[in-house]
Short mmCIF file of all heavy atoms in Angstrom, two decimals:
data_model
loop_
_atom_site.label_atom_id
_atom_site.label_comp_id
_atom_site.label_asym_id
_atom_site.label_seq_id
_atom_site.Cartn_x
_atom_site.Cartn_y
_atom_site.Cartn_z
N SER A 959 0.82 -1.22 -0.01
CA SER A 959 0.00 0.01 0.01
C SER A 959 0.86 1.26 -0.01
O SER A 959 0.59 2.23 -0.75
CB SER A 959 -0.92 -0.02 1.24
OG SER A 959 -1.88 -1.06 1.16
N ILE A 960 1.90 1.28 0.82
CA ILE A 960 2.76 2.46 0.88
C ILE A 960 3.54 2.61 -0.39
O ILE A 960 3.71 3.73 -0.92
CB ILE A 960 3.73 2.31 2.10
CG1 ILE A 960 2.92 2.41 3.43
CG2 ILE A 960 4.78 3.39 2.05
CD1 ILE A 960 3.75 2.13 4.62
N TRP A 961 4.00 1.51 -0.96
CA TRP A 961 4.71 1.57 -2.24
C TRP A 961 3.83 2.18 -3.30
O TRP A 961 4.25 3.07 -4.06
CB TRP A 961 5.15 0.16 -2.61
CG TRP A 961 5.79 0.04 -3.96
CD1 TRP A 961 7.06 0.42 -4.31
CD2 TRP A 961 5.21 -0.52 -5.13
NE1 TRP A 961 7.27 0.14 -5.65
CE2 TRP A 961 6.15 -0.45 -6.19
CE3 TRP A 961 3.95 -1.07 -5.44
CZ2 TRP A 961 5.92 -0.90 -7.45
CZ3 TRP A 961 3.70 -1.52 -6.71
CH2 TRP A 961 4.66 -1.44 -7.71
N LYS A 962 2.57 1.73 -3.37
CA LYS A 962 1.65 2.25 -4.37
C LYS A 962 1.29 3.73 -4.09
O LYS A 962 1.28 4.54 -5.02
CB LYS A 962 0.34 1.42 -4.34
CG LYS A 962 -0.63 1.88 -5.48
CD LYS A 962 -1.85 0.95 -5.46
CE LYS A 962 -2.80 1.42 -6.56
NZ LYS A 962 -4.02 0.55 -6.64
N SER A 963 1.10 4.08 -2.85
CA SER A 963 0.79 5.47 -2.53
C SER A 963 1.95 6.42 -2.85
O SER A 963 1.73 7.54 -3.30
CB SER A 963 0.38 5.61 -1.05
OG SER A 963 1.48 5.35 -0.19
N LEU A 964 3.19 5.99 -2.60
CA LEU A 964 4.31 6.76 -2.95
C LEU A 964 4.34 7.08 -4.47
O LEU A 964 4.58 8.20 -4.89
CB LEU A 964 5.63 6.06 -2.59
CG LEU A 964 6.07 6.10 -1.11
CD1 LEU A 964 7.22 5.10 -0.88
CD2 LEU A 964 6.51 7.49 -0.77
N LEU A 965 4.12 6.06 -5.26
CA LEU A 965 4.13 6.21 -6.73
C LEU A 965 2.96 7.10 -7.19
O LEU A 965 3.12 7.91 -8.09
CB LEU A 965 4.08 4.88 -7.42
CG LEU A 965 5.24 3.91 -7.13
CD1 LEU A 965 5.11 2.62 -7.91
CD2 LEU A 965 6.56 4.59 -7.46
N GLU A 966 1.79 6.93 -6.56
CA GLU A 966 0.63 7.74 -6.95
C GLU A 966 0.85 9.21 -6.61
O GLU A 966 0.56 10.10 -7.43
CB GLU A 966 -0.62 7.22 -6.24
CG GLU A 966 -1.13 5.88 -6.81
CD GLU A 966 -2.34 5.39 -6.04
OE1 GLU A 966 -2.63 5.93 -4.95
OE2 GLU A 966 -2.98 4.42 -6.52
N LEU A 967 1.36 9.51 -5.43
CA LEU A 967 1.62 10.88 -5.04
C LEU A 967 2.70 11.50 -5.91
O LEU A 967 2.60 12.65 -6.29
CB LEU A 967 2.02 10.96 -3.56
CG LEU A 967 0.91 10.69 -2.55
CD1 LEU A 967 1.52 10.57 -1.16
CD2 LEU A 967 -0.11 11.83 -2.59
N ASP A 968 3.72 10.68 -6.27
CA ASP A 968 4.76 11.16 -7.14
C ASP A 968 4.21 11.50 -8.50
O ASP A 968 4.58 12.53 -9.11
CB ASP A 968 5.86 10.13 -7.24
CG ASP A 968 7.04 10.58 -8.10
OD1 ASP A 968 7.58 11.63 -7.77
OD2 ASP A 968 7.35 9.89 -9.10
N ALA A 969 3.33 10.65 -9.03
CA ALA A 969 2.77 10.92 -10.36
C ALA A 969 1.90 12.18 -10.34
O ALA A 969 1.94 12.97 -11.29
CB ALA A 969 1.92 9.72 -10.76
N LYS A 970 1.15 12.40 -9.28
CA LYS A 970 0.35 13.63 -9.14
C LYS A 970 1.21 14.86 -9.07
O LYS A 970 0.93 15.91 -9.70
CB LYS A 970 -0.57 13.55 -7.94
CG LYS A 970 -1.67 12.50 -8.04
CD LYS A 970 -2.46 12.44 -6.75
CE LYS A 970 -3.53 11.34 -6.81
NZ LYS A 970 -4.29 11.21 -5.52
N ASP A 971 2.30 14.77 -8.32
CA ASP A 971 3.20 15.90 -8.18
C ASP A 971 3.86 16.25 -9.52
O ASP A 971 3.99 17.40 -9.91
CB ASP A 971 4.29 15.61 -7.14
CG ASP A 971 3.73 15.74 -5.71
OD1 ASP A 971 2.65 16.26 -5.56
OD2 ASP A 971 4.41 15.27 -4.79
N ARG A 972 4.28 15.20 -10.24
CA ARG A 972 4.93 15.43 -11.56
C ARG A 972 3.94 16.05 -12.54
O ARG A 972 4.30 16.95 -13.30
CB ARG A 972 5.52 14.14 -12.09
CG ARG A 972 6.83 13.75 -11.43
CD ARG A 972 7.53 12.56 -12.08
NE ARG A 972 6.87 11.30 -11.79
CZ ARG A 972 6.14 10.59 -12.62
NH1 ARG A 972 5.94 11.07 -13.86
NH2 ARG A 972 5.58 9.45 -12.26
N LYS A 973 2.69 15.58 -12.51
CA LYS A 973 1.68 16.15 -13.40
C LYS A 973 1.43 17.63 -13.09
O LYS A 973 1.31 18.45 -13.94
CB LYS A 973 0.37 15.34 -13.29
CG LYS A 973 -0.71 15.84 -14.20
CD LYS A 973 -1.94 14.99 -14.08
CE LYS A 973 -3.06 15.47 -14.99
NZ LYS A 973 -4.30 14.65 -14.87
N LEU A 974 1.36 17.94 -11.78
CA LEU A 974 1.12 19.30 -11.32
C LEU A 974 2.29 20.18 -11.72
O LEU A 974 2.08 21.34 -12.18
CB LEU A 974 0.94 19.30 -9.78
CG LEU A 974 0.50 20.62 -9.18
CD1 LEU A 974 -0.86 21.08 -9.76
CD2 LEU A 974 0.41 20.51 -7.67
N MET A 975 3.51 19.68 -11.59
CA MET A 975 4.67 20.49 -11.99
C MET A 975 4.69 20.74 -13.48
O MET A 975 5.09 21.79 -13.94
CB MET A 975 5.97 19.75 -11.54
CG MET A 975 6.18 19.76 -10.02
SD MET A 975 7.67 18.91 -9.59
CE MET A 975 7.64 19.15 -7.81
N GLN A 976 4.32 19.73 -14.27
CA GLN A 976 4.27 19.90 -15.71
C GLN A 976 3.27 20.93 -16.14
O GLN A 976 3.54 21.77 -17.02
CB GLN A 976 3.98 18.57 -16.40
CG GLN A 976 5.11 17.56 -16.32
CD GLN A 976 4.71 16.16 -16.83
OE1 GLN A 976 3.56 15.94 -17.20
NE2 GLN A 976 5.67 15.26 -16.86
N GLU A 977 2.10 20.91 -15.48
CA GLU A 977 1.09 21.93 -15.77
C GLU A 977 1.57 23.31 -15.35
O GLU A 977 1.35 24.31 -16.02
CB GLU A 977 -0.21 21.60 -15.02
CG GLU A 977 -0.88 20.32 -15.55
CD GLU A 977 -2.09 19.94 -14.72
OE1 GLU A 977 -2.25 20.54 -13.63
OE2 GLU A 977 -2.86 19.05 -15.13
N ASN A 978 2.26 23.34 -14.22
CA ASN A 978 2.75 24.61 -13.74
C ASN A 978 3.87 25.18 -14.59
O ASN A 978 4.04 26.42 -14.68
CB ASN A 978 3.27 24.43 -12.28
CG ASN A 978 3.47 25.74 -11.56
OD1 ASN A 978 2.86 26.77 -11.91
ND2 ASN A 978 4.30 25.72 -10.57
N SER A 979 4.66 24.31 -15.23
CA SER A 979 5.80 24.78 -15.97
C SER A 979 5.40 25.40 -17.32
O SER A 979 6.10 26.24 -17.83
CB SER A 979 6.76 23.60 -16.27
OG SER A 979 6.10 22.63 -17.10
N ASN A 980 4.23 25.07 -17.88
CA ASN A 980 3.82 25.62 -19.18
C ASN A 980 2.29 25.76 -19.27
O ASN A 980 1.68 25.24 -20.15
CB ASN A 980 4.32 24.71 -20.31
CG ASN A 980 4.43 25.47 -21.59
OD1 ASN A 980 4.11 26.67 -21.67
ND2 ASN A 980 4.85 24.80 -22.67
N PRO A 981 1.68 26.51 -18.37
CA PRO A 981 0.21 26.66 -18.41
C PRO A 981 -0.24 27.47 -19.58
O PRO A 981 -1.31 27.21 -20.10
CB PRO A 981 -0.09 27.41 -17.10
CG PRO A 981 1.16 28.13 -16.76
CD PRO A 981 2.29 27.29 -17.25
N LEU A 982 0.54 28.41 -20.07
CA LEU A 982 0.13 29.29 -21.16
C LEU A 982 -0.08 28.47 -22.43
O LEU A 982 -1.06 28.68 -23.14
CB LEU A 982 1.21 30.34 -21.42
CG LEU A 982 0.97 31.31 -22.58
CD1 LEU A 982 -0.33 32.10 -22.34
CD2 LEU A 982 2.11 32.29 -22.74
N LYS A 983 0.85 27.53 -22.70
CA LYS A 983 0.73 26.72 -23.93
C LYS A 983 -0.56 25.93 -23.94
O LYS A 983 -1.24 25.85 -24.93
CB LYS A 983 1.93 25.79 -24.01
CG LYS A 983 1.90 24.91 -25.28
CD LYS A 983 3.14 24.05 -25.31
CE LYS A 983 3.15 23.19 -26.55
NZ LYS A 983 4.33 22.33 -26.67
N ARG A 984 -0.94 25.34 -22.76
CA ARG A 984 -2.16 24.55 -22.69
C ARG A 984 -3.39 25.42 -22.98
O ARG A 984 -4.28 25.01 -23.69
CB ARG A 984 -2.25 23.91 -21.31
CG ARG A 984 -3.43 23.02 -21.11
CD ARG A 984 -3.32 22.22 -19.84
NE ARG A 984 -3.12 23.07 -18.67
CZ ARG A 984 -4.16 23.65 -18.01
NH1 ARG A 984 -5.41 23.44 -18.41
NH2 ARG A 984 -3.95 24.41 -16.95
N LYS A 985 -3.43 26.62 -22.43
CA LYS A 985 -4.59 27.49 -22.61
C LYS A 985 -4.67 27.99 -24.06
O LYS A 985 -5.73 28.07 -24.65
CB LYS A 985 -4.48 28.68 -21.64
CG LYS A 985 -4.85 28.35 -20.23
CD LYS A 985 -6.36 28.10 -20.09
CE LYS A 985 -6.72 27.86 -18.65
NZ LYS A 985 -8.17 27.58 -18.55
N VAL A 986 -3.53 28.37 -24.60
CA VAL A 986 -3.53 28.91 -25.93
C VAL A 986 -3.95 27.84 -26.99
O VAL A 986 -4.71 28.11 -27.87
CB VAL A 986 -2.11 29.46 -26.29
CG1 VAL A 986 -2.04 29.83 -27.78
CG2 VAL A 986 -1.87 30.71 -25.45
#
């Protein structure tokens, strides 16, 4: 369970960082 939760939280964080790094491109 902990192994899975670590990977899930990491995936969410990476997705959030990717959105944060280039939000203008997504909107345009």
Side-chain angles (χ1 to χ4, degrees):
S959 296
I960 292 173
W961 175 74
K962 183 176 180 180
S963 67
L964 280 170
L965 299 182
E966 287 177 348
L967 288 171
D968 182 56
K970 291 177 183 177
D971 284 347
R972 283 189 284 107
K973 182 178 179 181
L974 188 60
M975 289 179 178
Q976 289 172 356
E977 292 174 350
N978 193 24
S979 66
N980 202 0
L982 179 59
K983 181 178 180 180
R984 182 169 55 84
K985 283 290 184 181
V986 170

